[in-house]
Amino acid sequence: MATKDSSVSSKDDHQKVGSSTDSPQTYTAPTLEAAHHHHHHHGGVDAGATAGTAAAKDLDISLALPGMTGVHEEDELDPYESKRVKRKIDWRVMPLLCAIYTLQFLDKNAIGAATILGFLKDNQLTTAQLNNLGTFFYVGLLASQIPHSYAFQKFPVAKYLAVMMFLWAMLVGVHCAAIGYKKLIALRILLGFTEGCITPGIMLVTSMFYTRTEMGERVGWTFQCNGIAQILSGFIAFGAFHTPTHTPLSLPQNHGKVAQWQWFMVIISLLTFVVCLAFAAFFPDSPTKAGFLTQQDKIVAIKRIRANQSGVETKKWKKYQFFEAVKDPKAWIFMLFAVLANFVGGIGIQYSLIIKDMGFSVLETTLLNIPSGGCMVITVTFAMWMLHRYPNARGWISVLSYIPSIISVILLITLPDNRIGLLVAFYCIQLGNTPAVVLSLSWITTTTSGHTKKLTQHAMWLIGYSVGQMVAPQWWKDKYKPRNRVPWAIILTSYCCQVVIILSLRWYLNQRNVTRDKAAAAATTEEEKEKYSEYGWIEVPVDSTTIANANGKGDGASTAGDSQDEMVVVGEKEKEKASASTPAPAPGMKRVRVEKRFLDLTDFENLSFRYVL
């Protein structure tokens, strides 16, 4: 394991980062040389410049801000300032993230709510065809993951998400006109493709703005909106049920009247469009481009997440990081977990029919799924409270969350035909499993470094998620109704397997940490210690004036008009260490000390990286 962790080196087109078996990590940065002519309006490197700055995308965009270079081991953020900036970020980012996740869940499960509003009859669908529509949604989502990951690397995150939201708002509305199985298949695939960007987008955004623990909590709060969406869906369906019963608008005999399930689709589509406009107008692409933050706020926002051991964003797709992600064992463990964790996904399509088959009327069924959403909100809230109390216990919290789910499924299999008892057991399924899925979303983000690698592993998780969701509807067959004991038995087996996977993953990550801790403690020479340091080096032109406060001791930023002696590049201690443990810089270049998280190193390359458990 130690050999594997220490043997990966970067070999991308314009970058060379020393591997852990070579001399200490040094980055030769044509970035800054090219950016010499493109100053940030506050004096930092303009990471967004395009003319002559192809290599600018190699480094993290945070280096565009003043004071990001140099040694910051003794820097202490003012706790008041840190909390103030976090509150500003929360008030701008979290309402929009919650809104978009609520609408995403409503949209993808719209046909599940519509089944009792005449959707099956008007479209002449069988139960098997309904299940297939659920599967085809995830075919589109599966196909979207690599394109979305590449797009996130190339385009502004918020703008890209807003465009996808606009497209899926239209697709949900078009459901009203697409009468028939074949048309609905095409729509579900396209809807899955457009909505496939949301979960990786949320994981990416939270990693830019929040610390590891905060990230887990915010992803949890966002995921709670699935429960809120279930509650809203119940009320919207209840309202739609009270409209007159008509055949679909597109049928000749309808005479311009709208069917109940079409009202449901129109309402969901309009809500999505409204949120899309708000998202496009107010959501920031990254901390460095957040218009609601002052320059000082942006610096505080970046320094707040130093413990993440990862940068904010790098606008270059790095092939070596993609292949490293694919070879990383933990990525496949997370992916297998995602497959099994979503075997429960068929309930999203069948939930109305499951409740109705327990012996309830259509009107009762529209409201009886509301408590299920409430249970999800409660259990995720409790799990996030536990994470706040025990920030390095994701594995244990996840395992404990399966207890109510396992008990509930056993009751659904073994209880006699008592509709109240079965309904309560159905609700209690939401008390478990969900926290583990939520925690895995932030867990894979906080255990991965390197922007391309992180995006790739997000995509792998979502591929597993899609596969699980694709197969999940297929075992909800008419022959197993009304008790559906076979589907429940499959879900019970998957829960037990998920517990084993989580415990194995925790053991594996802990072994990586132990290996690195022992190696760091055994380091004796300056060169060996440098490998496990949180700092690396970048080389910039001697006459460059685009690096501000390179020793991290000031607040201002150098500009093109500053004299050379006004800009401290490397302190004397750093110079001594550089000469003792690193090769001399290239002619015409000087070496500047930076945190390794700004070098866009992967968790394999950065041996100071430690995995959360």
Side-chain angles (χ1 to χ4, degrees), residues 80-255:
Y80 173 79
E81 278 293 290
S82 181
K83 288 181 180 179
R84 181 185 64 80
V85 172
K86 183 177 72 172
R87 281 196 299 269
K88 287 182 74 172
I89 293 171
D90 277 341
W91 279 108
R92 175 59 66 93
V93 170
M94 290 309 301
L96 290 169
L97 285 185
C98 289
I100 192 175
Y101 217 72
T102 300
L103 268 300
Q104 187 239 14
F105 191 85
L106 277 172
D107 292 345
K108 73 179 181 181
N109 288 316
I111 62 172
T115 53
I116 56 171
L117 298 175
F119 179 76
L120 294 181
K121 179 182 177 182
D122 291 341
N123 287 280
Q124 299 180 346
L125 299 176
T126 65
T127 300
Q129 288 173 328
L130 175 67
N131 291 337
N132 290 340
L133 291 178
T135 295
F136 281 118
F137 175 90
Y138 290 99
V139 170
L141 194 145
L142 175 64
S144 75
Q145 289 314 302
I146 297 302
H148 285 323
S149 293
Y150 187 78
F152 281 137
Q153 190 94 55
K154 294 293 183 180
F155 303 115
V157 175
K159 307 303 182 292
Y160 184 74
L161 287 173
V163 170
M164 291 297 107
M165 281 192 74
F166 176 76
L167 292 176
W168 96 56
M170 290 196 305
L171 289 169
V172 172
V174 172
H175 274 66
C176 296
I179 305 300
Y181 181 55
K182 292 182 180 179
K183 293 177 183 178
L184 287 170
I185 288 176
L187 271 181
R188 297 298 292 176
I189 292 174
L190 291 173
L191 186 64
F193 191 95
T194 55
E195 292 193 24
C197 65
I198 297 306
T199 299
I202 287 175
M203 290 193 284
L204 182 60
V205 167
T206 53
S207 69
M208 293 180 183
F209 286 95
Y210 296 107
T211 66
R212 286 174 165 181
T213 301
E214 292 168 355
M215 197 187 311
E217 294 171 344
R218 269 83 184 158
V219 169
W221 297 346
T222 305
F223 206 90
Q224 279 180 328
C225 295
N226 285 354
I228 295 172
Q230 287 186 9
I231 295 171
L232 289 176
S233 178
F235 282 117
I236 295 172
F238 181 76
F241 183 75
H242 283 80
T243 63
T245 303
H246 296 297
T247 53
L249 185 66
S250 57
L251 296 184
Q253 65 269 31
N254 185 46
H255 304 298

